[in-house]
Amino acid sequence: MTDSRPLVAHLLNRFDTGGLENGVVNLINHLPQFRHAVIAVTEVTAFKDRVKAPGTQFIALHKPPGQGIWLYPRVYRLLRELRPAIVHTRNLGAMEFQWPAWAARVPLRIHGEHGWDVGDLGGENVRNQRLRRVYGVGVHRFVALSRAIETYLTGPVGVAPARVQRICNGVDTQRFAPATGVPAAWPYRRGEHLVIGAVGRMQAVKDPLNLIDAFLRLRELCPADWPRLRLAMLGGGALLDAARERLAQAGAADRAWLPGDRSDVAELLPQFDLFALPSQAEGISNTLLEAMASGCAPVATRVGGNPELVEQDLSGLLVPAQDGAALADALARLVRDPALRQRLAAAARARVCEQFSLDAMVAAYGRLYAAALPQSGG
């Protein structure tokens, strides 16, 4: 039997562990009224196993570094073969393939911006602004995941405000919820240890070494609490070995757990007492939302969409990026004040449930996809 549901082609740079990719997984798994195909400009990894929607296609183009113009004919032929109703590119690494989507006359062409480019954390690179302007000529609708990105698109990039819609990430507040038990993999004991946790790729933009330095400062800032303090950092990447080495050199390796990538984050997050997000740049952070939903008191850098999620002193604490002293001071404040820690954790959970639910995000994309289809030209 022919499946008559419209096809959405999600086109992104690489389908691997990450917040952007996790958002795509959530969307695919919760939008059964559409068929889905994931087209990765470079590679599709085992991360695809998180997609549960039957019949989802995965296609890797294996593009080497540099401009992808030589891939345009292949993408054009692929889109003509798949005949998607919608092409949804994400971030600059995939945006140039809006051109072959236009040539293939895909009815609805959407581009989403999830956060800043690694080499352009403030969005000030004029070349990147121009590339977005040029690649975006045939885009029907832009999606900004934060107010900061929306301002960037309508400001320096020059996209008409009517073409931009802000849809924040959403989190499954049933899957990510306060702990009801302790998983076997968890190395610490609730009540005996106080755990500062983080989840994210071990790469420079996430600034994991800054968090390690802040944690080590707690030895002087909170001497009475230091014996029970522990650090858990979930995620792999280029800086994982450096992070472990820095802890070892400080004589604190036995106070930290850095296991690399994990598939059980939803079970481990509720074991954190504090959640730290030291990133130099963010869009709308999935891991921050998940930690807040899990009942962790958050400390995050004041970048990107983080201030849209965390209200200072109401649902968490915000600190300047790349400021290890400020990060350490904020963590110390919550270590010393359990009542404040509990109040912020409860408020963070309530804020996510009220304003950043997965259902709200899926519904917004569903309306965008469905409502725009009949109105789109070629």
Side-chain angles (χ1 to χ4, degrees):
M1 179 183 295
T2 302
D3 193 333
S4 61
R5 294 176 300 164
L7 174 66
V8 183
H10 303 273
L11 209 160
L12 62 166
N13 184 57
R14 179 182 172 87
F15 200 58
D16 199 358
T17 304
L20 182 159
E21 296 81 3
N22 190 59
V24 174
V25 169
N26 284 335
L27 198 56
I28 292 173
N29 286 342
H30 292 87
L31 269 181
Q33 63 268 43
F34 294 90
R35 293 180 294 127
H36 299 273
V38 174
I39 304 173
V41 176
T42 55
E43 306 296 334
V44 173
T45 72
F47 188 76
K48 68 182 178 63
D49 294 338
R50 298 195 184 189
V51 173
K52 305 303 180 186
T56 302
Q57 297 173 266
F58 297 93
I59 301 163
L61 302 178
H62 306 294
K63 172 186 169 292
Q67 292 294 107
I69 191 169
W70 65 274
L71 272 177
Y72 288 6
R74 181 180 171 191
V75 174
Y76 169 82
R77 291 191 298 270
L78 177 62
L79 294 176
R80 293 294 290 177
E81 177 186 342
L82 293 175
R83 301 186 67 81
I86 301 158
V87 160
H88 189 158
T89 58
R90 289 168 170 84
N91 282 355
L92 186 56
M95 192 179 186
E96 64 178 303
F97 296 98
Q98 284 285 340
W99 281 6
W102 169 82
R105 306 186 78 79
V106 176
L108 177 60
R109 300 181 294 276
I110 297 172
H111 178 69
E113 285 289 337
H114 289 240
W116 304 114
D117 304 305
V118 173
D120 183 23
L121 298 184
E124 298 176 356
N125 186 296
V126 175
R127 179 177 179 272
N128 288 346
Q129 295 170 11
R130 289 173 177 166
L131 284 174
R132 285 181 167 89
R133 199 173 302 130
V134 171
Y135 293 150
V137 167
V139 173
H140 294 112
R141 201 76 174 164
F142 289 81
V143 175
L145 267 72
S146 70
R147 187 173 291 108
I149 294 296
E150 182 180 16
T151 301
Y152 171 70
L153 290 173
T154 57
V157 177
V159 179
R163 297 172 65 201
V164 181
Q165 179 174 348
R166 180 158 57 94
I167 303 178
C168 292
N169 283 344
V171 63
D172 185 340
T173 55
Q174 294 185 343
R175 181 176 178 224
F176 291 93
T180 56
V182 179
W186 185 243
Y188 303 127
R189 291 179 291 279
R190 181 167 290 277
E192 179 179 341
H193 299 119
L194 195 155
V195 181
I196 297 166
V199 179
R201 297 187 303 277
M202 289 284 186
Q203 60 184 47
V205 70
K206 300 298 182 181
D207 216 0
L209 301 184
N210 192 34
L211 175 56
I212 289 174
D213 290 341
F215 174 73
L216 295 173
R217 286 173 185 256
L218 297 179
R219 184 159 32 195
E220 287 73 41
L221 294 176
C222 305
D225 293 290
W226 177 251
R228 69 189 186 108
L229 293 183
R230 297 294 185 270
L231 177 67
M233 300 177 71
L234 312 181
L239 293 179
L240 179 57
D241 289 341
R244 289 169 172 163
E245 179 62 24
R246 186 163 298 190
L247 286 161
Q249 289 177 352
D254 61 338
R255 298 179 179 274
W257 186 49
L258 282 69
D261 287 326
R262 301 287 302 192
S263 61
D264 54 352
V265 170
E267 289 73 41
L268 297 175
L269 260 178
Q271 308 304 319
F272 298 173
D273 295 287
L274 308 178
F275 180 81
L277 184 68
S279 303
Q280 297 177 24
E282 285 289 347
I284 289 288
S285 169
N286 277 301
T287 55
L288 178 55
L289 284 171
E290 291 166 356
M292 293 169 70
S294 299
C296 305
V299 177
T301 47
R302 192 180 287 103
V303 298
N306 290 351
E308 296 178 45
L309 307 184
V310 175
E311 298 171 294
Q312 177 69 15
D313 290 320
L314 294 177
S315 54
L317 302 180
L318 295 167
V319 298
Q322 297 180 277
D323 189 336
L327 179 57
D329 286 343
L331 294 172
R333 181 182 170 193
L334 295 185
V335 166
R336 299 190 198 105
D337 192 340
L340 175 62
R341 192 166 68 236
Q342 292 166 11
R343 176 173 67 79
L344 294 182
R349 164 80 181 170
R351 181 165 173 76
V352 171
C353 291
E354 292 168 7
Q355 299 191 32
F356 298 98
S357 71
L358 180 62
D359 289 345
M361 181 197 80
V362 171
Y365 278 110
R367 288 191 299 269
L368 174 62
Y369 290 170
L373 274 172
Q375 305 168 15
S376 302

